[in-house]
């Protein structure tokens, strides 16, 4: 009985993280990476892996109506302790589908303001989406997003088609150890960010009031 109570108490204290697959591709190894992380870190946090492939094309509607798919994702982000975004690299940048999702998630809704974010990425080549990750950091720093990105950290999974076994587990134990260290750092980062929340309302108001039209 006591053990069950302790287990329940531990689950209450666990961080809940949204893992965003940064592509609409059905075959992406970024999905495999986030799914592996959800399993591997299940004792430390709940990682809910979410898709962006059903979010409609951003068209800046004059009535500011945000599609229900984007609103649902925004609600999940708002309620989460942190977000992990795993992005591939297309033409030295993040995918069009990820940029599309982030456009909706900063159009009259601001779930990323002060939200701790960890960036990972998998790619078929050698560099492991390094330039896309740098691009994503720039986007998340935009006035309408204002995310808190974990500094000095990036998980770059190159040659990702060969990186996983048949069960979807990372084969290279050095990479597993690196990912474990980064995730431990992210846990600490989320805890620190919870303490640095005194300006949250002001930051959110600044995001709401920002307009590119007024800053020519």
């Amino acid at each position: 009985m006591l053990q069950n109570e302790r287990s329940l108490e531990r689950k209450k204290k666990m961080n809940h993280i949204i893992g965003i697959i940064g592509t609409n591709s059905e075959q992406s190894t970024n999905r495999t990476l986030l799914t592996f992380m959800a399993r591997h870190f299940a004792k430390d946090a709940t990682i809910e892996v979410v898709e962006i492939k059903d979010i409609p094309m951003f068209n800046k509607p004059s009535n500011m109506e945000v599609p229900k798919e984007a609103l649902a994702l925004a609600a999940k982000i708002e309620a989460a302790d942190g977000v992990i975004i795993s992005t591939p690299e297309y033409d030295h940048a993040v995918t069009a589908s990820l940029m599309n999702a982030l456009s909706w998630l900063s159009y009259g809704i601001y779930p990323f303001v002060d939200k701790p974010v960890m960036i990972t990425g998998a790619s078929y080549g050698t560099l492991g989406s390094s330039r896309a990750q740098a691009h994503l950091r720039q986007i998340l720093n935009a006035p309408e997003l204002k995310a808190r990105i974990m500094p000095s950290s990036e998980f770059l999974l190159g040659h990702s088609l060969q990186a996983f076994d048949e069960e979807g587990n990372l084969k290279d134990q050095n990479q597993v150890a690196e990912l474990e260290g980064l995730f431990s750092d992210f846990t600490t980062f989320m805890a620190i960010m919870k303490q640095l929340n005194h300006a949250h309302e002001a930051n959110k108001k600044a995001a709401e009031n920002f307009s590119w039209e007024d800053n020519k």
Side-chain angles (χ1 to χ4, degrees), residues 36 40 155 163 165 169-180:
F36 167 73
H40 191 73
F155 184 70
D165 63 20
N169 298 311
L170 273 176
K171 293 190 285 190
D172 188 329
Q173 291 308 301
N174 290 326
Q175 290 177 327
V176 172
E178 179 187 355
L179 190 56
E180 287 173 345

Side-chain angles (χ1 to χ4, degrees), residues 4 34 46 52 57 59 87 145 149 179 198:
N4 288 340
L34 283 175
T46 58
I52 59 172
M57 184 70 69
N59 59 356
T87 179
L145 287 159
I149 311 151
L179 190 56
H198 301 91

Side-chain angles (χ1 to χ4, degrees), residues 7 16 27 34 62 69 76 78 84 89 93 97 104 111-112 115 137 145 147-148 151 162 173 187 198 206 208:
S7 178
H16 180 64
Q27 308 300 324
L34 283 175
S62 57
E69 295 87 353
K76 288 177 182 290
E78 287 270 18
I84 301 172
E89 181 172 314
S97 55
W104 280 120
F112 274 104
K115 187 65 62 175
R137 286 176 180 271
L145 287 159
R148 288 181 169 169
Q162 294 81 40
Q173 291 308 301
T187 300
H198 301 91
E208 291 171 359

Side-chain angles (χ1 to χ4, degrees), residues 181-205:
L182 288 170
F183 189 79
S184 181
D185 285 347
F186 187 53
T187 300
T188 302
F189 183 68
M190 286 187 290
I192 293 171
M193 291 304 101
K194 285 177 183 177
Q195 304 302 313
L196 302 179
N197 61 358
H198 301 91
H200 177 67
E201 291 306 318
N203 290 340
K204 197 155 190 177
K205 185 64 69 177

